[in-house]
């Protein structure tokens, strides 16, 4: 069902998409707090749905610079040493709608964006495949060849051609920060 055809606007559509992620991130943060309570470690739920301040006409460089500054000021500068931050992938209402401006890979994009801000050693994407394959694993099955190493440009080219393991929008922040991208199977991490 297309919600936009039913009278929803882009903002309503984006908010509805983010609800499942908000619930999941909250539950994970509570689980971490409960599991690590003896070590006095807290899971901290970070709802990014209101992180963007101001009004923007498009999801351009100015928009992402404002997102970066909000994350640094409102999240990273306030983080306590004993906290493990659990973020939603959904990061608020995006001009033109999150699915239309960033596409379905917005969660992977946000993870890569956060990774670039945190200057991590590597960025891991968990999917239902063992890594990046030479062909579509749903078609080739066990006969697909796992590729052990690719350049950012090779990944971008494959993603543009339809590869689903890595989204093009997630590659860009990692490439800019020179962070290696790793794809692992969520079922067999």
């Amino acid at each position: 069902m297309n919600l936009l055809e039913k009278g929803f606007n882009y903002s309503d559509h984006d908010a509805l998409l983010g609800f499942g992620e908000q619930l999941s991130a909250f539950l994970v943060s509570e689980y971490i707090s409960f599991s690590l309570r003896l070590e006095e470690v807290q899971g901290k739920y970070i709802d990014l749905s209101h992180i963007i301040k101001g009004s923007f006409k498009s999801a351009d460089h100015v928009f992402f610079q404002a997102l970066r500054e909000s994350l640094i000021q409102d999240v990273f500068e306030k983080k306590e040493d004993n906290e493990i931050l659990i973020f939603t992938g959904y990061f608020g209402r995006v001009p033109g709608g999150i699915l239309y401006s960033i596409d379905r890979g917005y969660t992977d994009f946000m993870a890569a964006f956060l990774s670039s801000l945190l200057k991590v050693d590597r960025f891991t994407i968990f999917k239902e495949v063992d890594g990046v394959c030479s062909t579509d694993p749903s078609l080739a099955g066990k006969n697909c060849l796992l590729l052990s190493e690719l350049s950012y440009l090779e990944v971008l080219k494959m993603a543009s051609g339809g590869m689903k393991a890595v989204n093009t929008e997630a590659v860009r922040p990692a490439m800019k920060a020179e962070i290696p991208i790793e794809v692992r199977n969520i079922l067999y991490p």
Side-chain angles (χ1 to χ4, degrees):
M1 170 174 69
N2 186 332
L3 296 176
L4 297 173
E5 291 174 3
K6 301 289 184 193
F8 281 75
N9 63 33
Y10 288 115
S11 292
D12 296 335
H13 189 252
D14 286 357
L16 188 59
L17 284 173
F19 181 72
E21 291 182 22
Q22 291 166 328
L23 180 60
S24 296
F26 173 76
L27 292 173
V28 168
S29 70
E30 290 296 306
Y31 177 78
I32 287 171
S33 292
F34 178 77
S35 299
L36 299 176
R37 67 189 177 283
L38 296 178
E39 288 85 14
E40 297 181 13
V41 173
Q42 290 291 308
K44 184 171 182 185
Y45 165 65
I46 307 292
D47 178 3
L48 296 177
S49 63
H50 301 291
I51 197 76
I52 298 167
K53 295 170 182 61
S55 179
F56 299 90
K57 294 194 185 316
S58 65
D60 59 7
H61 175 71
V62 175
F63 171 82
F64 288 108
Q65 184 61 31
L67 175 60
R68 179 185 180 281
E69 290 170 10
S70 291
L71 284 164
I72 290 169
Q73 292 171 2
D74 298 341
V75 178
F76 299 131
E77 289 180 357
K78 296 177 181 178
K79 182 190 178 300
E80 300 290 331
D81 289 339
N82 70 331
E83 292 177 331
I84 296 174
L85 304 179
I86 307 299
F87 293 92
T88 57
Y90 171 72
F91 55 95
R93 293 179 165 102
V94 173
I98 201 164
L99 285 181
Y100 305 97
S101 296
I102 297 175
D103 88 11
R104 294 220 42 95
Y106 67 87
T107 299
D108 290 347
F109 165 79
M110 190 53 161
F113 192 78
L114 289 166
S115 296
S116 71
L117 291 176
L118 293 168
K119 298 176 175 63
V120 299
D121 294 334
R122 82 171 164 234
F123 166 55
T124 304
I125 301 173
F126 288 93
K127 298 289 181 175
E128 292 180 355
V129 294
D130 293 329
V132 176
C133 295
S134 58
T135 188
D136 185 343
S138 66
L139 299 174
K142 301 269 184 210
N143 295 326
C144 93
L145 176 65
L146 261 165
L147 304 172
S148 62
E149 193 170 311
L150 296 166
S151 71
Y152 295 111
L153 294 177
E154 289 170 321
V155 173
L156 278 171
K157 189 174 184 178
M158 291 176 74
S160 299
M163 174 190 60
K164 306 238 186 290
V166 182
N167 182 281
T168 56
E169 296 303 321
V171 175
R172 296 182 205 293
M175 182 171 68
K176 186 175 180 182
E178 298 181 357
I179 300 169
I181 302 170
E182 178 182 44
V183 178
R184 298 187 61 147
N185 194 319
I186 188 85
L187 303 173
Y188 314 102

